Amino acid sequence: TKIIETQIIHIHKEPSFRKLFLNANTKGKFSTNSLDELINGIELYYSREDQEKYGVVGIEFTVKRVG
């Protein structure tokens, strides 16, 4: 078992993942630079309807220590 210690840098709140992925503060911080790939992947788990109803949250963090 490994413990990963992290520190939350920022919590990004947006009305949709599209807006989160295009936000100047978060752009380029995801595992791919393809917006369509990001949107299609996330919508397998979180529908557009749910995004409109609840909004979305992106948690930006850094790894402090792995042990």
Side-chain angles (χ1 to χ4, degrees):
T1 302
K2 286 188 176 184
I3 296 174
I4 301 173
E5 184 180 330
T6 62
Q7 179 178 2
I8 294 174
I9 298 170
H10 197 274
I11 296 177
H12 304 274
K13 297 177 185 176
E14 294 288 349
S16 70
F17 281 107
R18 179 171 294 281
K19 290 199 182 226
L20 176 68
F21 298 150
L22 291 174
N23 182 318
N25 294 320
T26 60
K27 198 168 186 178
K29 295 185 178 184
F30 299 96
S31 60
T32 179
N33 288 324
S34 168
L35 179 61
D36 290 334
E37 187 176 312
L38 286 167
I39 297 296
N40 292 336
I42 201 72
E43 286 182 349
L44 292 172
Y45 306 99
Y46 208 97
S47 70
R48 287 182 190 182
E49 293 80 16
D50 283 346
Q51 292 176 55
E52 290 174 11
K53 186 174 181 179
Y54 303 110
V56 304
V57 176
I59 301 172
E60 187 176 350
F61 65 92
T62 184
V63 175
K64 302 294 280 184
R65 182 175 63 88
V66 177

